[in-house]
Amino acid sequence: MTLPLTEMPRDQHSDDDRQDLARLLRRLADDGAGTGLTVAEIRDRLDERAYGLLVLILAIPCLVPGLYGVPQVVGLAILILAFQLLLGREEPWLPRWFLNLRARAAWLEGMADFTEKRLGWLERLSRPRLKAFSVGPGERFAAIFMILATVTIVLPMTNTIPSVALSLLAVGLIQRDGLFVLAGAAVATGWVGLLSAVGVGLLLGADWALRLMPGM
């Protein structure tokens, strides 16, 4: 017999790769019906999936092209989470005042509804596979590319593509889908490579222009 999520002991890991994102959020909405849940209660119920879901929630607003201000603030929070994941911390540390914030029941319900209606494609495309890239050392692998992507998300007007990478990496951790983690890593690497190439090109172009100036 499976214990309801609200009755599950704190020290017992509830990580179940058969529970996809929509089911996880629906269970949160059901548990928070009426009074809602604090961030600490949400984190404890998500257990090992807290990192992936928190990063996904933070990355989704940054998908909006040309956004300024929000990615810079969100990027710092994602970096804090990613470094903790890289260091192997079992659950994310967050300031006490933040953990005490309460998510209203209506917000939890709305988040669950949105996921079920708009993100149903996740259930069709993602599933537990290639777990070497999404569990244990694979989580540290994902954290490296989260950091890589986040470094570029704070640059002005460059937030959308690294946010896609972060979303893929987060979904990979939530769904225990190593293929999504690899896809996110590929997007992050490609984006950083492109920005690096553009930066080198601009530097070389500037150098070339400066060399021409004395002869003008």
Side-chain angles (χ1 to χ4, degrees):
M1 178 177 178
T2 303
L3 288 173
L5 200 58
T6 50
E7 299 177 11
M8 190 166 290
R10 174 65 191 88
D11 59 353
Q12 179 178 337
H13 287 272
S14 59
D15 189 35
D16 183 352
D17 58 24
R18 295 170 299 177
Q19 296 183 34
D20 56 32
L21 176 60
R23 290 191 181 92
L24 284 170
L25 295 181
R26 176 52 60 190
R27 293 188 72 181
L28 286 178
D30 291 343
D31 279 7
T35 60
L37 295 172
T38 65
V39 174
E41 290 171 334
I42 292 173
R43 182 194 64 180
D44 293 345
R45 283 163 169 75
L46 293 171
D47 204 2
E48 293 179 357
R49 297 182 185 226
Y51 281 106
L53 186 57
L54 288 173
V55 170
L56 182 62
I57 291 173
L58 291 169
I60 285 177
C62 297
L63 290 169
V64 179
L67 197 63
Y68 183 76
V70 174
Q72 288 70 32
V73 176
V74 165
L76 179 60
I78 295 177
L79 281 176
I80 292 173
L81 292 170
F83 273 113
Q84 291 181 68
L85 186 60
L86 181 62
L87 295 175
R89 187 178 177 88
E90 185 174 334
E91 64 178 22
W93 174 88
L94 292 167
R96 175 54 56 185
W97 65 267
F98 188 82
L99 291 174
N100 289 335
L101 294 177
R102 181 171 293 275
R104 294 179 299 175
W107 184 84
L108 293 171
E109 183 69 25
M111 185 172 62
D113 288 342
F114 175 83
T115 303
E116 290 170 346
K117 295 175 181 177
R118 302 295 179 86
L119 300 181
W121 58 274
L122 287 177
E123 295 185 39
R124 297 190 293 272
L125 295 181
S126 63
R127 61 182 183 277
R129 56 187 164 186
L130 300 177
K131 287 189 177 182
F133 295 101
S134 62
V135 178
E139 293 178 326
R140 294 174 175 82
F141 172 82
I144 292 172
F145 290 95
M146 284 180 175
I147 294 169
L148 193 64
T150 307
V151 167
T152 67
I153 203 175
V154 299
L155 299 176
M157 309 298 288
T158 64
N159 53 279
T160 298
I161 294 180
S163 296
V164 170
L166 287 167
S167 298
L168 289 171
L169 290 163
V171 169
L173 295 183
I174 296 168
Q175 304 285 73
R176 297 300 187 234
D177 191 338
L179 189 59
F180 267 62
V181 172
L182 290 173
V187 172
T189 302
W191 180 241
V192 170
L194 177 61
L195 288 181
S196 299
V198 170
V200 170
L202 290 174
L203 289 175
L204 291 176
D207 181 67
W208 178 77
L210 289 173
R211 289 175 184 272
L212 289 179
M213 289 180 67
M216 292 179 64

